[in-house]
């Protein structure tokens, strides 16, 4: 019976030591991951690139680049025409005549002619819009993946920083155990 108890106690002590080691590793990994000044000191160009990339994403850079590419492909968008005020519309309709049926017929014919003339341009615009939608659909996953990798790189502890944090934790634990004395380490 005593042997089984001793074996169970040894297992508990070993599990506790393993848990302490894993807890130390977890703490060191967390500290190394958020130790931004150390990352900047180790590789300032990489840190500047990550900061610039994050700023680019936050400032809406991909959207601006897409709009510029769209302008380069489709050309500059025309400025909006000055709006027609209701009085101006009324004057234009009165110039067509006083017979309501004749005016209505003229408006319908002119509008139909306008639609026919514009149909070719609308088809062209539809093709351009479809191409832009396909390009956006292809670029969005790439941008999402790049932003995910950026976030992972920012939170990934690098080996020297991790080892430095582990050494600090080991020293702190050793100092704590030395100040606590031998009576506190053996019991459960």
């Amino acid at each position: 019976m005593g042997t089984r108890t001793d074996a169970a106690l040894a297992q508990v002590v070993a599990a506790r030591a393993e848990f302490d080691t894993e807890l130390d590793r977890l703490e060191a990994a967390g500290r190394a991951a958020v130790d931004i000044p150390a990352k900047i000191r180790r590789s300032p160009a990489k840190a500047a690139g990550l900061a610039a990339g994050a700023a680019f994403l936050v400032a809406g850079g991909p959207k601006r680049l897409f709009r510029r590419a769209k302008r380069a492909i489709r050309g500059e968008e025309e400025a909006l025409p000055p709006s027609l005020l209701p009085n101006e519309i009324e004057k234009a309709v009165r110039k067509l005549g006083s017979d309501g049926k004749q005016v209505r017929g003229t408006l319908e014919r002119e509008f139909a002619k306008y639609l026919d003339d514009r149909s070719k341009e609308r088809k062209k615009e539809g093709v351009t819009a479809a191409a832009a939608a396909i390009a956006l659909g292809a670029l969005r996953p790439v941008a999402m993946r790049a932003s995910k990798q950026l976030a992972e790189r920012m939170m990934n502890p690098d080996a020297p920083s991790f080892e430095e944090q582990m050494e600090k934790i080991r020293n702190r634990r050793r100092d704590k155990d030395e100040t606590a004395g031998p009576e506190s380490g053996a019991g459960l």
Side-chain angles (χ1 to χ4, degrees):
M1 195 84 160
T3 311
R4 290 177 56 196
T5 305
D6 290 341
L9 181 61
Q11 285 179 341
V12 168
V13 169
R16 178 183 275 173
E18 186 177 329
F19 174 74
D20 285 344
T21 302
E22 288 301 314
L23 187 62
D24 291 346
R25 288 179 50 82
L26 178 64
E27 182 182 352
R31 288 180 182 269
V34 297
D35 192 9
I36 305 299
K39 289 182 181 185
I40 293 172
R41 281 191 303 273
R42 264 188 213 81
S43 54
K46 191 178 189 183
L50 285 172
F56 177 74
L57 289 174
V58 169
K63 186 187 290 185
R64 290 179 182 178
L65 280 180
F66 178 70
R67 276 190 263 148
R68 277 198 185 154
K70 186 171 113 179
R71 257 195 319 255
I73 293 169
R74 296 178 67 188
E76 190 69 31
E77 291 181 355
E78 292 183 29
L80 294 174
S83 63
L84 292 176
L85 299 174
N87 290 339
E88 293 172 343
I89 294 171
E90 189 69 34
K91 287 178 187 176
V93 171
R94 284 191 183 148
K95 287 181 184 177
L96 292 176
S98 59
D99 185 12
K101 287 184 181 183
Q102 186 180 3
V103 170
R104 181 181 176 133
T106 303
L107 288 173
E108 288 174 354
R109 281 191 301 279
E110 291 295 321
F111 187 65
K113 182 181 174 197
Y114 167 78
L115 289 178
D116 288 340
D117 293 343
R118 281 282 296 153
S119 67
K120 293 175 187 171
E121 291 177 36
R122 279 197 319 260
K123 286 179 185 174
K124 212 184 301 180
E125 290 171 359
V127 170
T128 307
I134 289 171
L136 180 63
L139 292 177
R140 187 170 189 260
V142 172
M144 293 296 289
R145 183 172 182 193
S147 62
K148 183 178 178 184
Q149 287 176 344
L150 176 69
E152 287 174 356
R153 282 184 188 162
M154 288 177 72
M155 298 311 282
N156 188 16
D158 53 341
S161 181
F162 177 76
E163 291 303 322
E164 179 184 316
Q165 293 295 336
M166 276 299 289
E167 191 59 35
K168 286 180 182 177
I169 292 169
R170 286 181 189 129
N171 290 340
R172 187 182 70 217
R173 190 172 292 269
R174 186 175 35 248
D175 292 345
K176 180 181 167 189
D177 288 346
E178 287 174 359
T179 59
E183 69 277 351
S184 64
L188 287 174

